[in-house]
Amino acid sequence: MPSIYDTDEKRWQAVQARESAADGSFLYGVVTTGIYCHPSCPSRAALKRNTRFYANRSAAIADGMRPCRRCRSDEPPLLERQRQLVEKACVLISDSEEAVKVDALAMQLGVSRFHLQKLFRQFLQIGPKQYIKSVRAQRAAHILGGDGEVLDGIYEAGYHSSAAYYADGAQRLGMPARVYKRQGEGMHIRYAFATTRFGKIVVAATRIGVCSILFGESQTQLVEDLTARFCKASLVRDRETLQQLVEQVVAGIEDPSLAARLPLDIQGTAFQEKVWSALRDIAPGDTATYAEVAASIGKPEAARAVASACAANPVAVIVPCHRVLGAGSKLAGYRWGVDRKRRLLAHEETH
Ligand SMILES: [Zn+2]
């Protein structure tokens, strides 16, 4: 990115004005002290003739400068650190299997509750409590999409009573920033329909690979479902381009041993991606319980979160969430109907 601080004179003016907007664009060092700083450093300004400018930390260090303790010039500037803290908080919220408490979150991040609230408002325009609520509502919406097993969905999303869910839903705010991006923002997605022995599907793909396979009763319903998942993407129906890929998908559904060859482009939270990848390790004809999958990714306490991640799986069959069973090997729920899950498993057992 071209900087507006492109001459030493402009940089010098920014240092004199202690412009925090200049932080991150360059660093300055003072030859008499041997210390380098962010432009906004509150320490006493040096003489112009003793000041040198650097594009980055390594340039300052190469020139023999040491970092300033006051503005912590060996770390990203304050605004960047704040942004990273909010980002970290969002990841903790998204990856948590239980409902997150703001106090506990602040403690975990080493800041006060008040400071965390301030930063959330500054970067996301909503407070952490509202953010947590909207992530949970979003998660529930994913889970509720399929079977109509409303209560199971609510339970899996971490709601302990349906009353709490409906109270939340009523005051739900806009999607949080991190979730927004995952709704396909900036993605170009092509899709096409096909019919398999387990029902009608839509196959959606980016240049990289398959990003979604969904079951549905009709093309209209499939498009609605796809649009809901990728409401920020550009979606184009394109049978010609996808013909070969769709054939591969159908073959992979009919013969699970072929499924591993399909290129995928799936995105979720770090936790979801870990679960989805673990699902692909369950061989056709085998099954695992939510608890076993949780243990296999090193989070034995997260069985319920694994169930949520399975329910949010965007790629039916190829990411085999149907091979995961509840405690006592109960079929439990399936995003595309328990009956379909039973048929898929029966098919794989005999294949
Ligand atoms: Zn400094």
Side-chain angles (χ1 to χ4, degrees):
M1 221 175 71
S3 169
I4 60 162
Y5 306 99
D6 54 359
T7 64
D8 280 356
E9 187 51 39
K10 287 179 194 166
R11 292 181 197 118
W12 172 246
Q13 279 166 13
V15 167
Q16 283 201 303
R18 294 181 178 137
E19 275 176 34
S20 51
D23 286 354
S25 299
F26 66 91
L27 295 159
Y28 76 94
V30 179
V31 289
T32 44
T33 58
I35 286 173
Y36 71 93
C37 289
H38 289 300
S40 72
C41 181
S43 63
R44 200 150 49 94
L47 293 173
K48 191 176 178 182
R49 64 182 147 86
N50 291 334
T51 304
R52 291 181 189 170
F53 299 100
Y54 306 105
N56 51 44
R57 266 182 290 167
S58 29
I61 292 162
D63 200 25
M65 294 282 166
R66 287 174 292 114
C68 168
R69 276 191 216 161
R70 193 137 175 217
C71 66
R72 293 154 77 184
S73 53
D74 54 342
E75 289 178 29
L78 184 63
L79 198 69
E80 177 60 19
R81 284 203 300 275
Q82 290 174 331
R83 201 190 56 73
Q84 284 173 0
L85 189 122
V86 172
E87 176 92 343
K88 197 170 161 194
C90 291
V91 171
L92 288 171
I93 292 165
S94 296
D95 290 354
S96 170
E97 61 268 22
E98 297 292 333
V100 177
K101 294 266 194 304
V102 179
D103 282 327
L105 186 65
M107 196 182 286
Q108 197 174 348
L109 293 163
V111 295
S112 72
R113 180 194 176 98
F114 175 77
H115 187 63
L116 190 65
Q117 281 166 339
K118 199 184 112 200
L119 291 180
F120 261 77
R121 294 230 167 70
Q122 181 184 337
F123 287 91
L124 300 174
Q125 283 79 49
I126 57 172
K129 205 168 173 179
Q130 291 159 313
Y131 183 89
I132 290 164
K133 274 188 182 181
S134 86
V135 167
R136 287 167 66 200
Q138 166 85 2
R139 218 179 264 180
H142 265 302
I143 294 164
L144 298 184
D147 288 336
E149 290 171 353
V150 174
L151 288 173
D152 281 357
I154 288 167
Y155 184 68
E156 285 175 358
Y159 288 87
H160 295 294
S161 75
S162 52
Y165 172 71
Y166 291 113
D168 263 10
Q171 46 174 286
R172 198 190 313 173
L173 288 152
M175 300 288 173
R178 208 173 115 83
V179 176
Y180 240 131
K181 276 190 194 149
R182 275 192 270 114
Q183 301 204 299
E185 192 165 24
M187 282 168 85
H188 298 284
I189 296 173
R190 297 169 196 279
Y191 67 90
F193 304 102
T195 303
T196 71
R197 69 164 74 199
F198 304 103
K200 288 191 178 65
I201 55 167
V202 64
V203 177
T206 64
R207 280 172 194 281
I208 298 166
V210 173
C211 62
S212 196
I213 300 171
L214 307 171
F215 283 107
E217 297 312 310
S218 66
Q219 293 193 353
T220 315
Q221 194 208 325
L222 285 168
V223 170
E224 275 172 15
D225 197 359
L226 192 64
T227 310
R229 277 171 182 269
F230 299 99
C231 57
K232 305 229 101 197
S234 80
L235 288 164
V236 183
R237 187 177 174 185
D238 187 345
R239 208 169 12 180
E240 284 71 39
T241 311
L242 290 184
Q243 191 179 352
Q244 208 189 339
L245 191 65
V246 169
E247 281 168 14
Q248 275 181 278
V249 167
V250 173
I253 290 174
E254 303 277 331
D255 178 357
S257 66
L258 301 174
R261 288 182 216 160
L262 271 171
L264 298 183
D265 179 15
I266 47 176
Q267 287 164 26
T269 64
F271 181 82
Q272 285 173 332
E273 289 179 5
K274 219 179 269 178
V275 171
W276 297 337
S277 153
L279 297 183
R280 298 197 89 193
D281 293 335
I282 309 171
D286 280 353
T287 58
T289 63
Y290 294 113
E292 284 166 344
V293 174
S296 80
I297 59 167
K299 297 217 164 190
E301 79 293 354
R304 194 194 293 174
V306 166
S308 297
C310 287
N313 170 23
V315 183
V317 188
I318 306 301
V319 174
C321 61
H322 61 280
R323 292 180 200 146
V324 188
L325 306 177
S329 295
K330 284 212 187 84
L331 274 186
Y334 186 47
R335 166 76 179 72
W336 294 282
V338 172
D339 184 51
R340 189 175 271 125
K341 182 172 183 173
R342 188 177 295 121
R343 282 160 56 210
L344 281 162
L345 290 173
H347 174 72
E348 292 183 356
E349 246 175 51
T350 57
H351 213 80

